[in-house]
Amino acid sequence: MTTGPSAMAQAPAATNPFLQEFNTAFKVPPFAEIRAEHFLPAFEEGIRQQQQRIGAITMQRSVPTFENTVAALEKSGDLLRNVSAVFFNLTSANTNPDLEGISRQIAPKMAQNSDDIYLNPALFHRVKTVYEKRNALQLTPEQHRLLEKTYKAFVRSGANLDAAKQARMREINKETSLLTVKFGQHLLAETNQFELIVDNEADLAGLPASLKTAAAISAKEAGQEGKWRFTLHNASVMPFLQYSANRPLREKMYKAYINRCNNNDERDNKEIAGRLASLRAEKAGMLGYASHADFVLEENMAKTPAQANDLLNRLWEAALPVAKNEAAEMQQVMDREGKGEKLEAWDWSYYADKVRKEKYNYDAEELRPYFQLENVREGVFAVAKKLYGITFTQLKNIPVYQEDVVAYEVNEANGDHIGVIYMDFFPRGSKRGGAWMTSYRKQATENGKRVAPVVSIVCNFTKPAGDQPALLTPDEVETFFHEFGHALHGLLSNVRYETLSGTSVPRDFVELPSQIMEHWAFEPEVLKMYAKHYKTGEQLPASLVKKMDDASKFNQGFVTVEYLAASLLDMQYHTLAPGEKVDPLQFEKHQMDKLGLIPQIAPRYRSTYFQHIFAGGYSAGYYSYIWSEVLDSDAFAAFKETGNIFDPATANSFRKNVLEKGGTAEPMDLYKAFRMRAPEVKFLLKNRGLEK
């Protein structure tokens, strides 16, 4: 995508790619033709078209029916969905100042458009009329589900409120939309701003050669040739904390990481976090809910904050003692070193690695040479083929939004086209941190024909360094399988309505397809498919596989506790009562003290950089990863119980009952159709080593 000084100019409709059909292979976005100046006019035209179509729905004299009201509303925003998909994916994966400026402009416009739909009394009257006679209509289960979801969307957006409260709702939505944009932009800028420059090679003691090479290349690119540069991107900061023998530098890196957007400057997020929590509580109260969490969880599998907290607290009680034992083991190692040092948070990864090596003679760096990115990718594809019979073919001449991005066509075993998947693997300053899956076009059915999806997985993996290819850590391999599971959910969707397509499911169910894929990553049978030394082609030795397996439950106290601390913090922010306000730092400390969190562990995400809940759509939903882990652990057990992790009947059932169904039924009903019973938590506890 090209940009330039005239980015904010208005592009004529004749030259705006969004205002005409995409003339590309598989009708993917023509990224090379899209300029920043095209977005605002396309957004405005999309909003105009949607409001015009809604006007046509409300002005018709015919009796409201599913087709002339609900289905018509479903199709009203086609252009707006199209431009939104491209724009918001680019602002996450390849942003620039022009796009960030447009984000701040478009956020209130999008909020207003949503309010103009859901607070439209004439439109709500028609939807409500159809909803009230739903049982007398001959609707398919999917139509019934869409009708129910549409009606609830109006009610949950304030359609039943009086005029004064609706006006206040509009104000809240507008302010919230801007604050979430600012939160994310602050975090990206803060992450990009920090750098640790090392000019004395002695200060690199303990670091693996791969990390030193990457840091030297990074320094050269930043105009610091002959030095080493480390950043707060995970591929840099996490291995630094794990391997650096320089304790003061570990402390500096760690403190920079956990104090992102907490430095009382123009990128500070404390006030934004507190304000968002307060606005959400106020909105929930206006709609008749005790809290934002009550509002959110009503539509999730958990249903209530109490049920979500019950699971979190049960796991907390099991994990905290394990984490304390892990801390004690590390302190023993420090005591033997005789330096008189006490374990601190910036020591955890470093000494955990020492204990791991001592107990299991296992070093994750030993595995890197066997996890070349391209081989891992072929392994992921091979697993998908063995499970579902699908194939992946690289598309060489298809538009991409950045030169590192690669695209593949996905086909059924019989050659039928399924969709297109983009893969974007490496960190850059224009990309936010983390990893995610997204869609440029969701699957739907039009005129009896399946509309093929276009999806993308975006990661921040270790880049190639010098003449060495991209070699992944075991954690990065697991992340690849995870995001690919999300992609399968989007690709294999087979529903009629886009609103119910693919990953359009409750937050605490959406992680099932992603997390179940992680289970295949390190199965010995799967490792044989892809784990080959990048130089010699030698298979990953069985001795290393055994070491990895033996050490797989090591440090699970820490991993579980840091995750649960963030999940419980999220729930506490979003069970605030309407009118209740908090100081984020004091609030966070109080909640962690109440839980008994040990000082050597911080929540995985602290308030000022908790993007999932303050800018990523997971408010009152971060618990969903562990909720879904109950499901994925139980679901993978179904494969294991057959004696074949690729059992065709089990794979077909998972595809038909989960992956293809999207949000067309209640998640628990979909799960039970696959498993023939409700999930059991024992498999999760066993997998995490929290219960024998």
Side-chain angles (χ1 to χ4, degrees):
M1 192 196 78
T2 58
T3 60
S6 61
M8 302 310 294
Q10 299 290 297
T15 61
N16 192 322
F18 292 109
L19 303 184
Q20 47 205 299
E21 188 173 347
F22 292 164
N23 185 25
T24 56
F26 307 109
K27 299 192 186 307
V28 302
F31 293 109
E33 300 171 20
I34 297 171
R35 300 191 302 277
E37 66 196 63
H38 293 136
F39 283 110
L40 197 56
F43 269 116
E44 290 173 342
E45 176 60 16
I47 290 170
R48 188 196 68 78
Q49 284 188 17
Q50 185 166 36
Q51 290 300 327
Q52 184 182 51
R53 291 176 181 178
I54 285 170
I57 294 171
T58 58
M59 293 292 287
Q60 60 187 325
R61 295 182 178 181
S62 53
V63 173
T65 66
F66 178 87
E67 287 299 329
N68 71 20
T69 300
V70 179
L73 176 59
E74 166 80 359
K75 293 293 296 173
S76 66
D78 287 350
L79 172 58
L80 190 57
R81 276 198 294 264
N82 193 19
V83 64
S84 295
V86 176
F87 180 78
F88 293 114
N89 283 325
L90 289 179
T91 57
S92 294
N94 199 34
T95 193
N96 58 55
D98 289 334
L99 296 185
E100 292 189 356
I102 296 169
S103 287
R104 294 188 291 271
Q105 278 187 279
I106 203 62
K109 292 177 183 287
M110 293 290 283
Q112 180 180 328
N113 182 60
S114 179
D115 287 338
D116 287 346
I117 294 169
Y118 291 112
L119 301 180
N120 182 324
L123 183 59
F124 179 52
H125 173 74
R126 292 188 67 89
V127 170
K128 186 177 181 181
T129 299
V130 179
Y131 180 76
E132 288 176 342
K133 60 182 180 182
R134 62 194 180 282
N135 293 329
L137 304 174
Q138 294 183 321
L139 300 178
T140 66
E142 190 173 336
Q143 288 174 328
H144 194 280
R145 183 77 171 170
L146 179 63
L147 172 57
E148 184 179 68
K149 192 167 184 175
T150 302
Y151 174 75
K152 282 186 177 180
F154 277 87
V155 174
R156 289 166 58 82
S157 298
N160 282 326
L161 298 180
D162 62 33
K165 287 182 177 178
Q166 286 190 356
R168 176 57 187 151
M169 184 73 73
R170 287 177 179 272
E171 292 172 1
I172 291 173
N173 291 341
K174 181 179 180 180
E175 185 177 356
T176 299
S177 70
L178 280 168
L179 290 176
T180 55
V181 168
K182 286 182 180 178
F183 189 99
Q185 291 183 352
H186 287 178
L187 179 55
L188 178 62
E190 186 93 338
T191 302
N192 286 334
Q193 179 266 342
F194 176 88
E195 60 181 15
L196 173 68
I197 303 295
V198 175
D199 55 13
N200 183 351
E201 190 165 7
D203 289 332
L204 304 178
L207 298 182
S210 59
L211 184 60
K212 289 194 286 187
T213 301
I217 293 171
S218 178
K220 183 177 180 180
E221 291 172 348
Q224 300 270 3
E225 189 167 4
K227 301 178 183 180
W228 296 267
R229 178 176 179 264
F230 301 92
T231 72
L232 297 183
H233 293 283
N234 277 2
S236 181
V237 64
M238 294 307 170
F240 187 94
L241 292 174
Q242 182 175 348
Y243 294 110
S244 174
N246 189 314
R247 195 176 192 229
L249 290 186
R250 287 204 311 271
E251 180 179 1
K252 185 175 182 178
M253 285 287 281
Y254 178 82
K255 287 184 173 178
Y257 185 80
I258 69 159
N259 283 304
R260 284 176 293 165
C261 300
N262 180 29
N263 296 297
N264 301 314
D265 56 18
E266 69 277 5
R267 295 184 297 272
D268 197 281
N269 274 340
K270 289 191 289 290
E271 185 177 341
I272 293 177
R275 182 62 176 159
L276 281 169
S278 178
L279 288 170
R280 289 167 177 169
E282 181 184 354
K283 181 175 175 178
M286 289 170 60
L287 293 168
Y289 294 89
S291 70
H292 179 71
D294 286 273
F295 169 76
V296 169
L297 269 63
E298 179 185 61
E299 293 294 286
N300 283 6
M301 292 184 77
K303 298 304 178 190
T304 66
Q307 290 201 65
N309 280 320
D310 282 348
L311 174 64
L312 296 176
N313 287 318
R314 175 180 173 183
L315 295 172
W316 181 265
E317 290 169 8
L320 187 60
V322 178
K324 288 179 177 178
N325 288 337
E326 292 167 355
E329 281 188 297
M330 287 182 270
Q331 186 62 59
Q332 288 172 8
V333 174
M334 296 181 81
D335 291 344
R336 289 202 302 270
E337 292 179 349
K339 299 177 184 176
E341 296 171 344
K342 295 298 180 185
L343 183 72
E344 300 283 358
W346 48 88
D347 299 317
W348 192 290
S349 293
Y350 181 70
Y351 280 95
D353 193 61
K354 286 196 170 193
V355 174
R356 183 188 289 110
K357 289 171 181 173
E358 194 175 280
K359 292 180 75 169
Y360 303 102
N361 191 27
Y362 170 71
D363 180 359
E365 281 296 303
E366 289 184 80
L367 275 73
R368 263 195 202 266
Y370 298 91
F371 291 154
Q372 183 177 342
L373 173 61
E374 291 78 7
N375 291 341
V376 176
R377 183 188 62 212
E378 293 309 307
V380 166
F381 289 166
V383 169
K385 185 176 182 180
K386 288 202 74 169
L387 286 170
Y388 308 117
I390 60 180
T391 62
F392 298 79
T393 306
Q394 186 171 353
L395 298 166
K396 302 275 190 175
N397 298 309
I398 197 168
V400 294
Y401 58 86
Q402 205 274 342
E403 60 185 6
D404 291 337
V405 178
V406 289
Y408 296 84
E409 181 185 6
V410 188
N411 295 92
E412 297 282 10
N414 65 4
D416 287 351
H417 178 72
I418 294 175
V420 171
I421 180 171
Y422 289 100
M423 294 185 173
D424 180 357
F425 293 122
F426 304 123
R428 52 182 173 266
S430 60
K431 181 195 290 188
R432 68 176 171 85
W436 62 95
M437 169 268 174
T438 187
S439 298
Y440 284 95
R441 181 175 66 233
K442 290 191 171 186
Q443 183 271 326
T445 304
E446 287 185 5
N447 302 318
K449 293 184 178 180
R450 183 177 184 271
V451 176
V454 176
V455 307
S456 178
I457 60 173
V458 187
C459 306
N460 280 278
F461 292 155
T462 305
K463 296 176 70 171
D467 59 357
Q468 182 176 285
L471 301 176
L472 306 189
T473 65
D475 283 349
E476 288 174 328
V477 171
E478 193 170 76
T479 296
F480 195 158
F481 274 80
H482 177 105
E483 299 306 335
F484 188 76
H486 280 309
L488 289 178
H489 201 186
L491 286 165
L492 298 180
S493 175
N494 191 23
V495 304
R496 181 172 178 182
Y497 301 104
E498 185 175 321
T499 295
L500 305 175
S501 176
T503 56
S504 302
V505 299
R507 284 288 184 203
D508 50 11
F509 189 68
V510 78
E511 299 299 334
L512 165 60
S514 58
Q515 291 176 186
I516 194 174
M517 279 298 293
E518 295 177 27
H519 289 268
W520 275 277
F522 303 125
E523 285 284 324
E525 184 178 347
V526 177
L527 285 168
K528 289 178 182 176
M529 297 177 184
Y530 73 86
K532 301 169 186 175
H533 197 284
Y534 78 101
K535 285 184 177 177
T536 67
E538 173 200 6
Q539 288 276 346
L540 179 64
S543 59
L544 268 182
V545 176
K546 185 177 188 307
K547 284 183 186 181
M548 181 169 60
D549 186 58
D550 289 344
S552 63
K553 295 178 178 61
F554 177 76
N555 208 37
Q556 279 298 310
F558 170 85
V559 171
T560 306
V561 162
E562 68 153 7
Y563 164 77
L564 292 173
S567 300
L568 288 159
L569 178 61
D570 169 32
M571 292 302 293
Q572 291 302 316
Y573 267 118
H574 293 113
T575 47
L576 293 173
E580 197 173 351
K581 294 179 173 59
V582 295
D583 175 287
L585 291 191
Q586 292 179 8
F587 182 77
E588 180 183 301
K589 183 180 186 306
H590 174 70
Q591 298 305 327
M592 296 304 103
D593 289 347
K594 192 166 65 172
L595 286 169
L597 179 65
I598 59 178
Q600 297 88 351
I601 302 178
R604 182 177 295 176
Y605 298 101
R606 296 191 64 206
S607 301
T608 56
Y609 57 89
F610 206 161
Q611 180 157 291
H612 280 79
I613 67 170
F614 291 125
Y618 273 78
S619 59
Y622 194 61
Y623 78 93
S624 61
Y625 289 94
I626 205 114
W627 185 280
S628 290
E629 194 174 335
V630 174
L631 304 176
D632 72 68
S633 300
D634 184 85
F636 191 67
F639 286 88
K640 297 285 275 190
E641 287 161 6
T642 69
N644 176 10
I645 59 171
F646 294 106
D647 178 62
T650 308
N652 185 61
S653 178
F654 191 76
R655 175 174 180 170
K656 296 299 180 186
N657 291 304
V658 177
L659 298 178
E660 291 187 0
K661 295 293 187 183
T664 57
E666 282 291 328
M668 188 58 79
D669 292 340
L670 296 176
Y671 189 83
K672 287 180 177 178
F674 159 67
R675 195 64 163 113
M676 305 307 292
R677 61 164 175 76
E680 297 175 358
V681 73
K682 65 181 182 181
F683 297 103
L684 176 148
L685 295 170
K686 183 179 178 183
N687 288 345
R688 285 189 172 242
L690 302 177
E691 190 174 279
K692 300 299 182 186

